[in-house]
Amino acid sequence: SLTRPFPASSAALVVVTLIFPDPALPCKFGRTCRRGVSCNFSHDETSLKKFLARLSSAKQSLDVCVFTLTLNEIASVLLNLHQHNVRVRIISDGEQAYAKGSDVQRLARAGIPVRLHHSPNDHSDLAHMHHKFAIIDDKCVVTGSFNWTRQAVLANRENVVITDMPGFRGEFRNEFNRLWYEYAAHEI
């Protein structure tokens, strides 16, 4: 990953770039793992670990607009934030939300507001809600090609850009709000 501050005139702005795939999923025990070299999980700072830490940094709100979400580690972060009174909202694709392994329904059942592009049986619109971004506390945007899946973490060539650039925030905030309103009839 790469962290690069902008020129002195905008030194407060930061861009973090994460590149996937990772060598393995993170070990939940981290450096205190007793398995040592026989552990199949990563004990290093992986891109996923940094991604999860950034999502976990939300204090007030986390708005997620993502095509598919099947990685339990990400779903756990969203649930944890929700349980700690961070406002979490999710927009996802109607077909993907009901696909095998999707965490979207589980998150909705836990009380996280979820809106879908269309209902899973509505084939009148063949397009997909294919965005992959999150807005943290209206201050930071997380975006890129990265699908929030195990396949994306361990096998796909994916990228994530994390930035607090005001222009990015405004454009992504407008898109999230537009879709949130547009998909109001498809809340699960």
Side-chain angles (χ1 to χ4, degrees):
S1 70
L2 173 69
T3 303
R4 185 178 327 157
F6 283 82
S9 62
S10 51
L13 302 178
V14 174
V15 173
V16 176
T17 305
L18 305 176
I19 301 296
F20 293 89
D22 280 346
L25 289 172
C27 178
K28 65 181 178 180
F29 300 109
R31 302 224 182 260
T32 63
C33 179
R34 294 182 182 179
R35 290 171 155 177
V37 294
S38 66
C39 183
N40 294 326
F41 296 94
S42 178
H43 299 97
D44 297 324
E45 261 320 281
T46 63
S47 288
L48 178 62
K49 228 173 176 179
K50 293 173 187 177
F51 180 83
L52 296 173
R54 188 56 66 125
L55 292 182
S56 296
S57 73
K59 303 291 182 229
Q60 300 167 345
S61 65
L62 178 63
D63 286 336
V64 173
C65 192
V66 66
F67 175 62
T68 185
L69 196 171
T70 62
L71 189 64
N72 294 338
E73 288 82 353
I74 296 174
S76 293
V77 167
L78 301 182
L79 281 171
N80 186 52
L81 289 169
H82 174 69
Q83 291 164 351
H84 286 91
N85 299 316
V86 173
R87 183 193 72 191
V88 177
R89 299 184 299 173
I90 300 170
I91 297 172
S92 191
D93 184 75
E95 286 182 35
Q96 292 299 311
Y98 291 92
K100 184 178 181 181
S102 175
D103 290 310
V104 172
Q105 293 179 69
R106 178 169 63 100
L107 295 169
R109 283 192 305 272
I112 296 175
V114 174
R115 293 185 180 175
L116 304 177
H117 170 239
H118 56 73
S119 62
N121 298 321
D122 176 6
H123 300 291
S124 63
D125 181 358
L126 299 178
H128 290 280
M129 198 302 300
H130 206 248
H131 283 308
K132 299 154 188 92
F133 70 85
I135 305 165
I136 301 169
D137 293 333
D138 275 324
K139 295 177 183 174
C140 178
V141 172
V142 177
T143 189
S145 66
F146 180 63
N147 283 306
W148 295 17
T149 66
R150 181 183 181 97
Q151 175 74 19
V153 171
L154 298 176
N156 294 355
R157 302 295 178 194
E158 304 274 6
N159 68 78
V160 172
V161 175
I162 303 168
T163 182
D164 60 357
M165 290 175 64
F168 266 68
R169 289 194 314 257
E171 291 296 322
F172 281 96
R173 167 55 55 217
N174 290 342
E175 179 66 353
F176 186 91
N177 290 343
R178 184 182 72 76
L179 294 177
W180 190 255
Y181 176 77
E182 183 179 329
Y183 301 159
H186 300 291
E187 189 155 346
I188 61 172

